[in-house]
Amino acid sequence: MFGIPGKQAVTLTPSAAKQIARLMERQQSQGLRIGVKKGGCAGMEYTMDYVAEVNPLDEVVEQDGARVMIAPMAQMFLFGTEIDFQVSALESAFKFNNPNVAEACGCGESIKFKDQPEV
């Protein structure tokens, strides 16, 4: 929908692809759908949900056995994003390295996009 021919909408690091493929197998899902919704102190939050079937309007990214679908309303906000999976002594989490983000809250769970109206 908002893509550039020959370029994936989002990219996955090897650790993210491995974790997504693991989750797909464990949950017997077709992949993970990522999106954005209003919420958090900065105005927007990322969402991730297991998918039973692919929506024909989703942007589908497949890499190393992992499948990510981007919800139609989120495509313009997520284009160019790198998704990573990081493990530390205190947490393991997906991290979104998104060039479209103007601000993030202190905890990193909430974001504000460039040219996003005030919430």
Side-chain angles (χ1 to χ4, degrees):
M1 188 175 215
F2 289 98
I4 296 174
K7 182 173 167 97
Q8 290 190 136
V10 299
T11 57
L12 307 173
T13 64
S15 62
K18 185 176 180 179
Q19 180 64 14
I20 291 168
R22 216 180 283 144
L23 291 171
M24 288 172 57
E25 184 177 336
R26 184 182 312 150
Q27 296 296 320
Q28 296 181 341
S29 74
Q30 294 295 310
L32 292 178
R33 180 173 292 117
I34 59 173
V36 294
K37 68 177 184 174
K38 287 185 178 184
C41 53
M44 300 289 275
E45 298 174 318
Y46 294 111
T47 62
M48 293 184 89
D49 299 298
Y50 294 109
V51 174
E53 61 183 65
V54 178
N55 178 334
L57 298 176
D58 285 344
E59 180 74 25
V60 179
V61 174
E62 295 184 278
Q63 181 180 320
D64 301 325
R67 183 179 300 119
V68 172
M69 284 70 83
I70 305 170
M73 296 304 290
Q75 292 173 13
M76 67 182 163
F77 297 111
L78 296 174
F79 190 79
T81 298
E82 175 193 67
I83 301 172
D84 191 15
F85 184 75
Q86 298 175 353
V87 178
S88 71
L90 298 176
E91 70 175 348
S92 59
F94 287 101
K95 302 292 181 182
F96 290 73
N97 300 313
N98 187 336
N100 305 304
V101 170
E103 299 174 25
C105 68
C107 67
E109 296 294 320
S110 176
I111 63 243
K112 180 178 179 185
F113 294 102
K114 297 172 185 169
D115 300 321
Q116 174 186 327
E118 294 295 323
V119 177

